[in-house]
Amino acid sequence: FGLRVILAINIPASTFMVLMADPIVRTAYMSGEFTPAKVGATSVALVWYSVGIFAWAGQAIVARGFFAMQDTLTPVLLGSAVTLVFIPLNYVLMHTMGHGGLALATSIAATIHLLALTAFLRRRLHGLEGGKIASLVLKVLASSAVMAASLIVIRSGLGHYVNTFSRKGAAIEVLLCMVVASVIYLGLLKITRAEEAEFIWRMLSRRFAKRGPNDSTDTAGLIKTLDEDRP
């Protein structure tokens, strides 16, 4: 269930960041020495790093399956094996794609690591409800595709009213698209009656209701919520 929630949150997050890389970079960095000319190169790196968001987040959940069985060795061995693939992959992709290749190599390595961890854990537990995971992924991909289409429409029209190449305009673009994307995606997930959608709604409501200076909404926060809500 934790893995399904991770996928339900991070696949659309990856989609959003890939499509919105340019305005996100403009909003976060464009000032002073960081000129508009530098936005493109930074956006390329963000795109390829964003592709692997789901894998980085998923590792934290799957690895805990091994830790719960007092097995800390298997995740380390698998991570070491992935590193042996990661090093030459960096070299190859860097020479074909430049700095974007380094980012893509990182995402590929994270994905391989997640798949390896999941495969070994599945064998150890004699199954991981693969049917439920596959069903959820199909719903998430379909909902993310509709969300992506809406973002493309919004971005194509917003440029007529706001200077999205400025930092302020890019911030407006990111904020508006974030709100619309969240409503569309979570709404579609709820329509498809995905069990994970209800959990995400509860998690978001709880996090915002008791948000404090030391609160976190990262994977550690999700794991804590899972521990509280699930037997």
Side-chain angles (χ1 to χ4, degrees):
F1 181 81
L3 182 58
R4 297 203 308 271
V5 172
I6 282 289
L7 295 175
I9 294 174
N10 287 282
I11 289 177
S14 294
T15 304
F16 181 86
M17 293 187 71
V18 167
L19 291 175
M20 301 295 295
D22 185 280
I24 288 174
V25 170
R26 290 179 188 275
T27 301
Y29 297 115
M30 201 172 72
S31 66
E33 295 294 327
F34 196 97
T35 62
K38 299 178 181 179
V39 171
T42 307
S43 298
V44 168
L46 178 58
V47 165
W48 293 119
Y49 276 125
S50 297
V51 170
I53 288 175
F54 78 96
W56 286 108
Q59 289 178 34
I61 293 290
V62 180
R64 280 167 172 76
F66 291 97
F67 300 157
M69 295 183 291
Q70 309 301 314
D71 179 5
T72 59
L73 182 60
T74 299
V76 172
L77 293 177
L78 291 176
S80 300
V82 171
T83 300
L84 295 177
V85 176
F86 175 59
I87 294 174
L89 190 61
N90 268 294
Y91 180 82
V92 173
L93 293 180
M94 179 183 67
H95 282 275
T96 57
M97 299 174 58
H99 69 286
L102 296 176
L104 178 58
T106 301
S107 293
I108 292 175
T111 302
I112 293 173
H113 193 200
L114 172 61
L115 293 175
L117 284 171
T118 304
F120 273 75
L121 186 62
R122 180 178 180 277
R123 180 182 300 178
R124 187 77 62 85
L125 298 178
H126 306 291
L128 279 177
E129 297 185 339
K132 288 186 177 181
I133 294 176
S135 175
L136 183 276
V137 169
L138 289 176
K139 294 177 182 179
V140 167
L141 290 177
S143 300
S144 297
V146 175
M147 179 196 77
S150 69
L151 292 179
I152 292 173
V153 172
I154 292 173
R155 293 194 64 190
S156 64
L158 189 61
H160 298 295
Y161 305 97
V162 178
N163 179 15
T164 54
F165 292 101
S166 67
R167 189 177 192 183
K168 181 179 179 181
I172 293 174
E173 183 178 15
V174 171
L175 181 61
L176 176 61
C177 288
M178 185 181 298
V179 172
V180 173
S182 299
V183 172
I184 290 176
Y185 174 74
L186 289 175
L188 289 173
L189 209 60
K190 197 174 182 66
I191 289 174
T192 59
R193 298 181 179 179
E195 175 190 3
E196 299 76 15
E198 297 294 336
F199 178 84
I200 294 172
W201 276 115
R202 294 199 310 270
M203 182 185 71
L204 292 175
S205 299
R206 179 182 303 180
R207 299 303 296 179
F208 283 111
K210 61 179 183 180
R211 183 80 174 159
N214 296 319
D215 283 338
S216 172
T217 55
D218 57 7
T219 304
L222 172 59
I223 292 171
K224 180 180 179 181
T225 308
L226 283 167
D227 291 339
E228 293 172 350
D229 283 13
R230 302 284 293 188

